[in-house]
Amino acid sequence: MNDFEIPATESTPLIRTDRAAGRLEMSGDSYPENSFELFQPVLDWIAGFLGQLLQPLTLELKLLYLNTSSVRAMMDIFDALQDAHDRGQPVEVNWRYDRDNERVADLAAEFKEDYSFPFEIIPGS
Amino acid sequence: MEEVDVLSLREAFSRQGIMLGFNGPFSATLMEEIGKALRKHMEGLAESPSAITDVFSAYIELSQNIRHYAASSGVSGAAAEATIIVSRDDAGHYVVSAGNVVLHDDGETLVARIGELAALDKAALKAAFKTQMRKPRDPEAKTGAGLGLIDLARRASQPLACGVKPLDSQHAFFSLRVVI
């Protein structure tokens, strides 16, 4: 469960983990052809963090456009957070977006409906 | 082979409101570059971020569907090629159209699936998207697991329209039109 950072590309977001701070950041667009390859390290890191540590985990998201396979991969990530939440481990998601881009807010809101852990959708400029 | 007639192509593009078009074999990199050009062009027209996202998304899902199909269907040659067109109709709607060579049976399956989706309203499409998302994923599959067509239908302002034309005993040309 070592920390890692994957720089953003045209079609993939910046991904950065911080075990000490209990934080995972993802920002940018995500539309790779193989999203599962991209997100597997994220899922592994989250599973490691939630399995070994009892400290809170926060996902700081500034994700913009997600293709459908990225949406599917995000579901797996949020499901892992929900399992931890159900076990009593504190987890939260903060998803920041530009208030002009309502599609991002729509997408985040559709995810939020399916989970009971704290899930903030935060407009900015 | 006919000689290339640039003027008549240009006139056909103008008549059909075509802003951007591509025909031939395409790589992931080329797809990204065309997508970037599409976004820049729409930003230049001062379109809203939501409109840009919807058109861009339709373009990406259609392109990736075709690339995944070409990679998985075992049909080589023409099947790895695509025709992708972004245009505007008389009402000002953006239209993303795409076509590729498919096996006959696959074409018929797609037509049936798109017909099912056309009968659903926005709420039913949302429910279908969530149901599909929760279906177990084939660990070998790299794709969006059947979410692409539903996503296209959700972003469209009109039901998806498609067609399939036989090319030879095995192959057909499948085309899909998404009006945003």
Side-chain angles (χ1 to χ4, degrees), chain A residues 9-122:
Chain A
T9 69
E10 187 67 29
S11 61
T12 60
L14 165 75
I15 305 176
R16 186 189 287 144
T17 69
D18 186 338
R19 174 184 167 137
R23 192 170 60 217
L24 188 148
E25 275 175 65
M26 291 194 268
S27 62
D29 287 316
S30 182
Y31 56 97
E33 290 196 345
N34 189 345
S35 299
F36 300 99
E37 198 174 87
L38 172 71
F39 287 105
Q40 194 57 50
V42 178
L43 275 165
D44 292 344
W45 187 87
I46 290 175
F49 184 99
L50 296 173
Q52 293 167 26
L53 304 175
L54 290 173
Q55 71 185 88
L57 177 62
T58 301
L59 257 60
E60 292 288 350
L61 306 179
K62 283 184 200 159
L63 291 168
L64 298 167
Y65 164 63
L66 273 65
N67 66 352
T68 53
S69 61
S70 295
V71 168
R72 178 66 179 71
M74 288 304 297
M75 185 196 82
D76 290 336
I77 290 171
F78 293 143
D79 282 359
L81 296 187
Q82 183 68 45
D83 287 346
H85 174 77
D86 293 343
R87 292 193 306 266
Q89 190 164 1
V91 294
E92 62 175 349
V93 170
N94 295 316
W95 193 326
R96 289 168 213 281
Y97 74 102
D98 176 346
R99 68 176 76 246
D100 289 341
N101 197 342
E102 61 197 47
R103 289 295 177 271
V104 179
D106 294 345
L107 175 67
E110 276 193 24
F111 274 121
K112 181 185 161 108
E113 291 171 356
D114 294 343
Y115 300 101
S116 61
F117 55 79
F119 194 128
E120 298 296 325
I121 302 167
I122 305 161

Side-chain angles (χ1 to χ4, degrees), chain B residues 2 4 16 24 28 106-107 122 124 146:
Chain B
E2 269 182 48
V4 173
Q16 298 179 33
D106 295 335
K122 291 291 176 196

Side-chain angles (χ1 to χ4, degrees), chain B residues 45-64:
Chain B
L45 295 173
E47 294 290 357
S48 72
S50 295
I52 295 172
T53 300
D54 285 338
V55 173
F56 182 72
S57 172
Y59 163 78
I60 291 291
E61 290 297 333
L62 286 168
S63 310
Q64 292 187 337

